[in-house]
Coordinates of all heavy atoms in Angstrom, one line a residue:
E1 N -9.5 -1.2 0.7 CA -9.4 0.3 0.5 C -8.0 0.6 -0.1 O -7.0 0.2 0.4 CB -9.4 1.0 1.9 CG -10.8 0.8 2.6 CD -10.7 1.3 4.0 OE1 -9.6 1.8 4.4 OE2 -11.8 1.2 4.7
N2 N -8.1 1.2 -1.3 CA -6.9 1.8 -1.9 C -5.8 0.7 -2.1 O -4.6 1.0 -1.9 CB -6.3 3.0 -1.2 CG -5.4 3.8 -2.0 OD1 -5.6 4.0 -3.2 ND2 -4.3 4.4 -1.4
L3 N -6.1 -0.4 -2.6 CA -5.1 -1.5 -2.8 C -4.3 -1.2 -4.1 O -4.9 -0.9 -5.2 CB -5.9 -2.8 -3.0 CG -5.0 -4.1 -3.3 CD1 -4.0 -4.4 -2.2 CD2 -5.8 -5.3 -3.7
A4 N -3.0 -1.3 -4.0 CA -2.1 -1.0 -5.1 C -1.0 -2.1 -5.1 O -0.4 -2.3 -4.0 CB -1.5 0.4 -5.1
V5 N -0.8 -2.7 -6.2 CA 0.2 -3.8 -6.4 C 1.1 -3.5 -7.6 O 0.5 -3.2 -8.7 CB -0.4 -5.2 -6.5 CG1 0.7 -6.2 -6.6 CG2 -1.4 -5.4 -5.3
Q6 N 2.4 -3.6 -7.5 CA 3.3 -3.4 -8.6 C 4.2 -4.6 -8.8 O 4.4 -5.4 -7.9 CB 4.1 -2.1 -8.5 CG 5.2 -2.2 -7.5 CD 6.1 -1.0 -7.5 OE1 5.7 0.1 -7.9 NE2 7.3 -1.1 -7.0
F7 N 4.7 -4.7 -10.0 CA 5.7 -5.8 -10.3 C 6.9 -5.1 -11.1 O 6.7 -4.3 -11.9 CB 5.1 -6.8 -11.3 CG 4.0 -7.7 -10.6 CD1 2.7 -7.3 -10.6 CD2 4.4 -8.9 -10.0 CE1 1.8 -8.1 -10.0 CE2 3.5 -9.7 -9.3 CZ 2.1 -9.3 -9.3
K8 N 8.1 -5.5 -10.7 CA 9.3 -5.1 -11.4 C 9.6 -6.1 -12.5 O 9.7 -7.3 -12.3 CB 10.5 -5.1 -10.4 CG 10.4 -4.1 -9.3 CD 10.6 -2.6 -9.7 CE 10.7 -1.7 -8.6 NZ 10.9 -0.3 -9.0
T9 N 9.7 -5.6 -13.7 CA 10.0 -6.5 -14.9 C 11.1 -5.9 -15.7 O 11.5 -4.7 -15.4 CB 8.7 -6.6 -15.8 OG1 8.5 -5.3 -16.5 CG2 7.5 -6.9 -15.0
D10 N 11.6 -6.6 -16.7 CA 12.6 -6.2 -17.5 C 12.2 -5.0 -18.4 O 13.0 -4.2 -18.8 CB 13.1 -7.3 -18.5 CG 13.8 -8.4 -17.7 OD1 14.3 -8.1 -16.6 OD2 13.8 -9.5 -18.2
D11 N 10.9 -4.8 -18.6 CA 10.3 -3.7 -19.4 C 10.0 -2.5 -18.5 O 9.5 -1.5 -19.0 CB 9.1 -4.2 -20.1 CG 9.4 -5.3 -21.1 OD1 10.5 -5.2 -21.7 OD2 8.5 -6.2 -21.3
G12 N 10.2 -2.6 -17.2 CA 9.9 -1.5 -16.3 C 8.9 -1.9 -15.2 O 8.6 -3.1 -15.0
T13 N 8.5 -1.0 -14.4 CA 7.6 -1.2 -13.3 C 6.1 -1.3 -13.8 O 5.7 -0.3 -14.4 CB 7.8 -0.2 -12.2 OG1 9.1 -0.2 -11.8 CG2 6.8 -0.4 -11.1
I14 N 5.4 -2.3 -13.5 CA 4.0 -2.5 -13.9 C 3.1 -2.3 -12.7 O 3.3 -2.9 -11.6 CB 3.8 -3.9 -14.5 CG1 4.5 -4.0 -15.8 CG2 2.3 -4.1 -14.6 CD1 4.4 -5.3 -16.5
R15 N 2.2 -1.3 -12.8 CA 1.2 -1.1 -11.7 C 0.0 -1.9 -12.0 O -0.9 -1.5 -12.7 CB 0.9 0.4 -11.6 CG 0.1 0.8 -10.4 CD 1.0 1.5 -9.4 NE 0.1 2.2 -8.4 CZ 0.6 3.0 -7.5 NH1 1.9 3.2 -7.4 NH2 -0.2 3.6 -6.6
A16 N 0.0 -3.2 -11.6 CA -1.0 -4.1 -12.0 C -2.3 -3.8 -11.3 O -3.4 -4.0 -11.9 CB -0.6 -5.5 -11.6
V17 N -2.3 -3.3 -10.1 CA -3.5 -2.9 -9.4 C -3.2 -1.5 -8.8 O -2.2 -1.3 -8.2 CB -3.9 -3.8 -8.3 CG1 -5.1 -3.3 -7.5 CG2 -4.2 -5.2 -8.8
D18 N -4.1 -0.5 -9.2 CA -3.8 0.9 -8.9 C -5.0 1.6 -8.1 O -5.9 2.2 -8.7 CB -3.6 1.6 -10.2 CG -3.0 3.0 -10.0 OD1 -2.7 3.4 -8.9 OD2 -2.9 3.7 -11.0
G19 N -5.0 1.4 -6.8 CA -5.9 2.1 -6.0 C -7.4 1.6 -6.0 O -8.3 2.3 -6.1
V20 N -7.4 0.2 -5.9 CA -8.7 -0.4 -5.9 C -9.4 -0.5 -4.5 O -8.8 -0.8 -3.5 CB -8.5 -1.9 -6.5 CG1 -9.8 -2.7 -6.1 CG2 -8.3 -1.8 -8.0
S21 N -10.7 -0.1 -4.5 CA -11.5 -0.2 -3.2 C -12.8 -0.9 -3.6 O -13.4 -0.6 -4.6 CB -11.7 1.2 -2.7 OG -10.5 1.9 -2.4
F22 N -13.2 -1.7 -2.6 CA -14.5 -2.4 -2.8 C -14.9 -3.0 -1.4 O -14.0 -3.2 -0.5 CB -14.6 -3.4 -3.9 CG -13.7 -4.6 -3.7 CD1 -14.2 -5.8 -3.1 CD2 -12.4 -4.6 -4.1 CE1 -13.4 -6.9 -2.9 CE2 -11.5 -5.7 -3.9 CZ -12.0 -6.8 -3.3
S23 N -16.1 -3.4 -1.3 CA -16.6 -4.1 -0.1 C -17.4 -5.4 -0.5 O -17.8 -5.5 -1.7 CB -17.5 -3.2 0.7 OG -18.7 -2.9 0.0
L24 N -17.5 -6.3 0.4 CA -18.2 -7.5 0.2 C -19.1 -7.8 1.4 O -18.6 -7.8 2.5 CB -17.2 -8.7 0.0 CG -17.8 -10.1 -0.2 CD1 -18.5 -10.2 -1.6 CD2 -16.7 -11.2 -0.1
Q25 N -20.4 -7.9 1.1 CA -21.4 -8.2 2.1 C -21.5 -9.7 2.4 O -21.3 -10.5 1.5 CB -22.7 -7.6 1.7 CG -22.7 -6.1 1.5 CD -22.5 -5.3 2.8 OE1 -22.9 -5.7 3.9 NE2 -21.8 -4.2 2.7
P26 N -21.9 -10.1 3.6 CA -22.1 -11.5 3.9 C -23.2 -12.1 3.0 O -24.2 -11.5 2.7 CB -22.7 -11.5 5.4 CG -22.1 -10.2 5.9 CD -22.1 -9.2 4.8
G27 N -22.9 -13.2 2.4 CA -23.8 -14.0 1.6 C -24.0 -13.5 0.2 O -24.8 -14.1 -0.6
E28 N -23.3 -12.4 -0.2 CA -23.5 -11.9 -1.6 C -22.5 -12.4 -2.6 O -21.4 -12.9 -2.2 CB -23.5 -10.4 -1.6 CG -22.2 -9.7 -1.6 CD -22.2 -8.3 -2.0 OE1 -23.2 -7.8 -2.7 OE2 -21.3 -7.5 -1.7
T29 N -22.7 -12.3 -3.9 CA -21.8 -12.6 -4.9 C -21.4 -11.3 -5.6 O -22.2 -10.7 -6.2 CB -22.3 -13.6 -5.9 OG1 -22.7 -14.8 -5.2 CG2 -21.3 -13.9 -7.0
L30 N -20.1 -11.0 -5.5 CA -19.6 -9.8 -6.1 C -18.8 -10.2 -7.4 O -17.8 -11.0 -7.3 CB -18.7 -9.0 -5.2 CG -17.9 -7.8 -5.8 CD1 -18.9 -6.7 -6.1 CD2 -16.8 -7.3 -4.8
G31 N -19.1 -9.7 -8.5 CA -18.4 -10.0 -9.8 C -17.3 -8.9 -10.1 O -17.6 -7.7 -9.9
I32 N -16.1 -9.4 -10.4 CA -15.1 -8.5 -10.9 C -14.8 -8.9 -12.4 O -14.4 -10.1 -12.6 CB -13.8 -8.6 -10.1 CG1 -14.2 -8.2 -8.6 CG2 -12.8 -7.7 -10.6 CD1 -12.9 -8.2 -7.7
V33 N -15.1 -8.0 -13.3 CA -15.1 -8.4 -14.7 C -14.1 -7.5 -15.5 O -14.0 -6.3 -15.1 CB -16.5 -8.4 -15.3 CG1 -17.1 -6.9 -15.3 CG2 -16.5 -8.9 -16.7
G34 N -13.5 -8.0 -16.5 CA -12.6 -7.2 -17.3 C -11.8 -8.1 -18.2 O -11.8 -9.3 -18.1
E35 N -11.1 -7.5 -19.2 CA -10.2 -8.2 -20.1 C -9.1 -8.9 -19.3 O -8.7 -8.5 -18.2 CB -9.7 -7.3 -21.2 CG -10.8 -6.7 -22.1 CD -10.2 -5.6 -23.0 OE1 -9.9 -4.5 -22.5 OE2 -10.0 -5.9 -24.2
S36 N -8.4 -9.9 -20.0 CA -7.2 -10.4 -19.4 C -6.1 -9.4 -19.2 O -6.0 -8.5 -20.1 CB -6.7 -11.5 -20.4 OG -7.6 -12.6 -20.5
G37 N -5.5 -9.4 -18.1 CA -4.4 -8.4 -17.8 C -4.9 -7.2 -17.2 O -4.1 -6.2 -16.9
S38 N -6.2 -7.1 -16.8 CA -6.8 -5.9 -16.2 C -6.4 -5.8 -14.7 O -6.7 -4.7 -14.2 CB -8.3 -5.8 -16.4 OG -8.9 -6.9 -15.8
G39 N -6.0 -6.9 -14.1 CA -5.7 -6.8 -12.7 C -6.6 -7.6 -11.8 O -6.5 -7.6 -10.5
K40 N -7.5 -8.3 -12.3 CA -8.5 -9.1 -11.6 C -7.9 -10.1 -10.7 O -8.1 -10.2 -9.5 CB -9.5 -9.7 -12.5 CG -10.2 -8.8 -13.5 CD -11.3 -9.5 -14.3 CE -10.8 -10.8 -15.0 NZ -9.8 -10.4 -16.1
S41 N -7.1 -11.0 -11.3 CA -6.5 -12.1 -10.5 C -5.4 -11.5 -9.5 O -5.3 -12.1 -8.4 CB -5.8 -13.1 -11.5 OG -6.8 -13.7 -12.2
V42 N -4.7 -10.5 -9.9 CA -3.7 -9.9 -9.0 C -4.4 -9.4 -7.7 O -3.8 -9.5 -6.6 CB -2.9 -8.8 -9.7 CG1 -1.9 -8.1 -8.7 CG2 -2.1 -9.4 -10.8
T43 N -5.6 -8.8 -7.9 CA -6.3 -8.3 -6.7 C -6.6 -9.4 -5.7 O -6.4 -9.3 -4.5 CB -7.6 -7.7 -7.2 OG1 -7.4 -6.6 -8.0 CG2 -8.5 -7.2 -6.0

């Protein structure tokens, strides 16, 4: 629920994940898809 992650860099503050919410049911496969740099791995 409402996951937000930021990074401090020389270019400023990066909000890599901004208010992400999702659920995962037992035994299911949930895909998270997007371009590189969209925040998938940081999540």
Side-chain angles (χ1 to χ4, degrees):
E1 301 171 356
N2 197 35
L3 177 64
V5 182
Q6 73 173 23
F7 290 88
K8 296 284 189 180
T9 73
D10 293 338
D11 296 326
T13 300
I14 292 177
R15 190 105 165 186
V17 178
D18 190 7
V20 161
S21 299
F22 66 93
S23 63
L24 179 69
Q25 298 294 328
E28 81 163 337
T29 300
L30 172 68
I32 300 180
V33 64
E35 294 170 286
S36 297
S38 61
K40 307 184 302 297
S41 295
V42 174
T43 298

